Amino acid sequence: MKIVKTSLLPFALTALLFACGNVGNKGQEAHNHHPDAEHVHNDAESQTTKKKSLSPRTAAMAMIGSNHVHIDYGSPSKRGRMIFGGLVGYGTVWATGAHKATTIRFDENGAINGENIPAGKYGLFTIPGESSWTIIISKDWDMHLADDYNEANDLVRVTSPVNKLDEVVESLTFEVQQMENNKGKIIIKWDQTSVSFDLENK
């Protein structure tokens, strides 16, 4: 019996060492190929490389009476620059935002400063001036900036006086405000300049 035990001992030790080696290799392999490892790495990389837009697309909307008014625009920031009479020139047609032209949509018929506007989606362009702006509602709305602007497609043009603000508005901002009954106001603010125009439901 002693001879049998002695002869089996080397085999038992060899089997034990082999089993431990396999467990170690499997653990290392699992560590190297963990299903979440690559996912976490890629998420971190995408967050690092993804850049925040300097002129994010945003919207302003409100009900004026029963008319839902929705404005979609790219909102650039001042970032220490001279805006009107500098970045945005006086006397030239402006898309009133960044990238794609600003759009305005009316769910019902209305009037801007007394000029009739049928329900629909339009381009909202402006011509900034030092003391007043021209507000333009155009039948063309799908364009980059004001590259394809055509005065022949204007639906309405109205003049709005410039109001000087006491504080700087860092990012271009539109506001749609309900005033009374079926009347409202659309306000454009940037830097220390504000202009507005009236909307009435028809």
Side-chain angles (χ1 to χ4, degrees), residues 7 9 14 40 61 73 105-106 115 117 120 126 128 135 141 157 174 176 179 200 202:
S7 62
L9 185 58
T14 301
V40 170
M61 65 195 82
Y73 63 104
R105 188 181 71 237
F106 308 102
E115 298 286 344
I117 302 284
T126 52
I135 310 294
W141 56 268
R157 277 191 175 213
F174 280 83
V176 182
M179 304 302 287
E200 182 178 4
K202 290 291 186 180

Side-chain angles (χ1 to χ4, degrees), residues 133-152:
W133 286 24
T134 299
I135 310 294
I136 302 167
I137 305 299
S138 171
K139 289 179 282 186
D140 287 339
W141 56 268
D142 188 10
M143 71 180 74
H144 177 262
L145 298 177
D147 294 348
D148 298 321
Y149 169 77
N150 185 344
E151 186 176 347

Side-chain angles (χ1 to χ4, degrees), residues 78 81-90 94 96 126 128-130 133 162 164 169 172 188-195:
K78 177 176 171 63
R81 300 174 293 181
M82 180 180 179
I83 301 303
F84 299 109
L87 182 67
V88 179
Y90 289 135
W94 180 39
T96 328
T126 52
E130 292 187 63
W133 286 24
V162 167
K164 292 296 182 183
V169 176
L172 174 66
I188 307 167
K189 297 179 181 178
W190 197 16
D191 198 1
Q192 290 182 278
T193 295
S194 173
V195 296

Side-chain angles (χ1 to χ4, degrees), residues 8 27 41 85 89 105 112 137 153 162 174 178 180 201:
L8 291 176
H41 173 74
R105 188 181 71 237
I112 291 178
I137 305 299
N153 293 320
V162 167
F174 280 83
Q178 167 80 44
E180 57 182 31
N201 290 352

Side-chain angles (χ1 to χ4, degrees), residues 103-118:
T103 64
I104 184 167
R105 188 181 71 237
F106 308 102
D107 283 358
E108 297 180 359
N109 296 340
I112 291 178
N113 288 18
E115 298 286 344
N116 290 332
I117 302 284

